[in-house]
C-alpha cells in the first residue's frame, strides 16, 4: 500500500517534501497533484521507476513521457529551444502547457521518442510540484492518472474524485500526495515546437491564452 502524505496546497511542509524526495531518489513512484490533473510520476533519473510508470499506463516505449521542469532556464538544459519557441514559452509558463521539443543528451532514452528524439516538457504553476522539483534538483515524470477498469484493461477518461483515485491506485504506487484539493478534469494544452510554426496537438487548459499567437491546429 502507498504512503499518503497530506501536504498544504500553498505552503508545502519542508520536512514532508524532503521525505518524498528521498523516496523518489530511491526509485519510488508517486501519485501527485499538478496545476491540471493528478499525475503519476517519478524521478526522471530513476530508470526502473520510469519503466514502472510506463507499465502502469500501458504506454509503448516509443511514446514520449512528459516531465516537469522548474523554469524556462531548466527546460533549456533538457531541450533545444529556438528563439520563437522561447518567446512563446516565456509568455505561457508557469502554466498548463506541455511543449514538444527536440531533446538534449540529458534526456534519458527511456523518456523520449526514439525516432524523433523529442520530448514533452511542462513548467507547472503549482507550489507542491515546484517544491518537489527544487528539493530534488532535477525533473519529475508527469503522466495523467487514470483509473484502470477490470473489464478490458483500458484507462477511461479523467473526471473522478481524488479519494476514488487514491483508492484505485493505492496498491500500484508508492506515494500519494493529498493537498485536500479536488482538481479539474482538463489536461494541459500540448504545443509542438519542433518546427518554425508552433502547432497545437491538443487543446486543454489555457488554450484561450493562445489566441494572439499564430498556431496551427491539428
Amino acid at each position: 500500500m502507498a504512503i499518503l502524505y497530506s501536504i498544504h496546497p500553498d505552503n508545502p511542509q519542508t520536512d514532508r517534501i524532503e521525505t518524498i524526495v528521498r523516496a523518489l531518489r530511491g526509485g519510488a513512484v508517486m501519485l501527485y497533484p499538478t496545476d491540471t490533473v493528478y499525475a503519476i510520476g517519478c524521478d526522471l533519473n530513476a530508470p526502473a521507476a520510469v519503466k514502472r510508470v510506463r507499465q502502469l499506463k500501458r504506454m509503448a516505449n516509443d511514446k514520449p513521457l512528459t516531465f516537469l521542469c522548474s523554469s524556462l532556464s531548466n527546460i533549456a538544459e533538457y531541450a533545444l529551444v529556438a528563439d520563437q519557441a522561447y518567446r512563446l514559452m516565456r509568455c505561457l509558463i508557469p502554466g498548463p502547457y506541455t511543449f514538444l521539443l527536440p531533446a538534449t543528451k540529458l534526456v534519458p532514452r527511456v523518456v523520449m521518442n526514439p525516432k524523433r528524439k523529442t520530448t514533452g516538457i511542462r513548467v507547472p504553476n503549482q507550489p507542491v510540484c515546484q517544491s518537489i522539483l527544487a528539493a530534488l534538483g532535477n525533473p519529475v515524470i508527469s503522466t495523467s492518472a487514470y483509473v484502470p477498469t477490470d473489464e478490458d484493461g483500458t484507462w477511461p477518461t479523467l473526471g473522478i474524485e481524488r479519494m476514488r483515485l487514491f483508492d484505485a491506485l493505492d496498491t500500484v504506487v508508492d506515494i500519494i500526495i493529498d493537498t485536500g484539493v479536488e482538481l479539474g478534469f482538463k489536461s494541459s494544452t500540448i504545443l509542438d515546437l519542433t518546427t518554425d510554426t508552433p502547432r497545437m496537438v491538443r487543446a486543454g487548459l489555457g488554450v484561450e491564452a493562445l489566441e494572439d499567437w499564430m498556431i496551427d491546429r491539428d
Side-chain angles (χ1 to χ4, degrees), residues 113-136:
N113 183 315
K115 295 180 180 179
R116 298 185 63 199
K117 298 295 191 297
T118 58
T119 192
I121 302 180
R122 289 193 58 207
V123 177
N125 186 18
Q126 213 278 356
V128 173
C129 291
Q130 287 291 347
S131 294
I132 291 173
L133 291 169
L136 185 62

Side-chain angles (χ1 to χ4, degrees), residues 13-61:
Q13 299 92 324
T14 301
D15 58 338
R16 297 181 188 180
I17 293 295
E18 290 176 347
T19 299
I20 291 168
V21 165
R22 284 196 296 271
L24 293 176
R25 287 180 178 144
V29 172
M30 64 177 173
L31 175 64
Y32 66 106
T34 69
D35 54 352
T36 54
V37 298
Y38 262 88
I40 296 172
C42 63
D43 185 340
L44 179 70
N45 295 327
V50 174
K51 290 181 180 179
R52 278 183 62 196
V53 172
R54 281 197 180 278
Q55 292 169 354
L56 288 176
K57 286 294 295 285
R58 302 178 179 90
M59 298 175 71
N61 289 333

Side-chain angles (χ1 to χ4, degrees), residues 80-100:
L80 303 175
V81 183
D83 290 343
Q84 182 176 356
Y86 179 88
R87 289 193 294 271
L88 174 60
M89 293 165 66
R90 186 176 59 185
C91 295
L92 297 177
I93 62 176
Y97 304 95
T98 298
F99 306 104
L100 301 183

Side-chain angles (χ1 to χ4, degrees), residues 123-203:
V123 177
N125 186 18
Q126 213 278 356
V128 173
C129 291
Q130 287 291 347
S131 294
I132 291 173
L133 291 169
L136 185 62
N138 57 257
V140 296
I141 296 296
S142 177
T143 178
S144 300
Y146 298 78
V147 174
T149 63
D150 295 329
E151 292 79 10
D152 58 8
T154 59
W155 295 73
T157 56
L158 295 168
I160 65 171
E161 300 83 2
R162 76 182 197 287
M163 296 310 297
R164 182 184 163 201
L165 188 63
F166 294 172
D167 289 342
L169 300 180
D170 181 54
T171 60
V172 297
V173 299
D174 305 304
I175 294 169
I176 295 175
I177 298 176
D178 184 14
T179 60
V181 177
E182 294 290 350
L183 299 183
F185 304 150
K186 278 190 174 184
S187 297
S188 63
T189 292
I190 300 178
L191 298 174
D192 186 342
L193 303 183
T194 60
T195 60
D196 292 338
T197 302
R199 181 172 59 90
M200 186 183 302
V201 178
R202 181 182 71 195

